[in-house]
Amino acid sequence: MSAFERSRAHVENEVMVRLLEHVDKNPQVSQRALSTQVGIAFGLVNTYLKRSVEKGWIRVKNVSPKRYAYFVTPQGMAEKTRMVKDYMSHSLSLFREARAQADVFFTEAQKRDYGAIAIIGSGDLAEIIQLVAQAYTFDLHLVSTDSDFKKYDAVFIADMTAPQSIYDRAVTALGAERIFALEVLHIKR
């Protein structure tokens, strides 16, 4: 399974877990409300609900002509538990892998006597990088993707939305040897 497929499956599991949680808390929740609560498009809610019904995870009851109640089945609860376990396992693996790679970078940056290091991006990867950096004495800067990279000794890419384009821009500014990105970002060097 490719990294993209693993990532897609991971996101779908996360959405499914949130959907099952909200349905379990409020069986008469509307699809529009689920869309807002889960953070996905209205049409996707319908798709996920239909898929859940087909798999036996959710049972639907017609409450009125235009209202439905959704009930998570015991099979659905078991599947939700499995998905949460998979999500936690994936998250811990990502954390361990990112922490180890960040430590390698910071050790090398320390050998090179770098001072100012820019971290580009936000979210889980940026937070992991910041945690690892606490063991070192660098002048860390959380910067946006449009920052002037030439102001820094090195750039650490933590952006998961457009890592390749950021890498390409940073290489132009600083050279490849001063740019670091985690393997999980799959940047072509």
Side-chain angles (χ1 to χ4, degrees), residues 149 157 165-177 179 189:
F149 301 142
I157 299 172
S165 63
I166 295 168
Y167 175 81
D168 295 341
R169 219 179 106 242
V171 166
T172 302
L174 294 175
E177 69 281 348
I179 312 302
R189 300 175 190 268

Side-chain angles (χ1 to χ4, degrees), residues 76-111:
M77 291 303 283
E79 186 61 22
K80 179 181 133 192
T81 301
R82 186 200 62 76
M83 286 187 279
V84 168
K85 180 182 159 268
D86 288 350
Y87 175 81
M88 294 301 293
S89 175
H90 178 270
S91 296
L92 286 172
S93 295
L94 174 67
F95 175 79
R96 286 185 195 110
E97 199 173 310
R99 183 185 65 196
Q101 291 176 30
D103 198 41
V104 167
F105 166 76
F106 286 124
T107 300
E108 183 61 28
Q110 196 170 33
K111 287 178 188 173

Side-chain angles (χ1 to χ4, degrees), residues 121-122 125 145 157-166 185:
S122 60
L125 290 181
T145 57
I157 299 172
D159 184 279
M160 295 181 82
T161 56
Q164 187 66 53
S165 63
I166 295 168
L185 296 175

Side-chain angles (χ1 to χ4, degrees), residues 1-14:
M1 181 183 292
S2 74
F4 174 75
E5 288 169 333
R6 279 193 309 272
S7 178
R8 182 174 167 218
H10 182 72
V11 168
E12 285 185 358
N13 278 353
E14 186 178 344

Side-chain angles (χ1 to χ4, degrees), residues 18-19 82 91 153:
R18 289 197 317 258
L19 183 93
R82 186 200 62 76
S91 296
D153 295 322

Side-chain angles (χ1 to χ4, degrees), residues 98-164:
R99 183 185 65 196
Q101 291 176 30
D103 198 41
V104 167
F105 166 76
F106 286 124
T107 300
E108 183 61 28
Q110 196 170 33
K111 287 178 188 173
R112 294 181 187 184
D113 204 25
Y114 290 162
I117 297 177
I119 298 174
I120 303 167
S122 60
D124 294 342
L125 290 181
E127 290 174 11
I128 293 167
I129 293 164
Q130 290 174 65
L131 282 171
V132 174
Q134 290 177 359
Y136 300 88
T137 58
F138 298 110
D139 184 16
L140 285 181
H141 301 266
L142 296 175
V143 300
S144 67
T145 57
D146 59 351
S147 295
D148 179 13
F149 301 142
K150 292 180 182 178
K151 298 190 304 189
Y152 307 102
D153 295 322
V155 170
F156 203 128
I157 299 172
D159 184 279
M160 295 181 82
T161 56
Q164 187 66 53

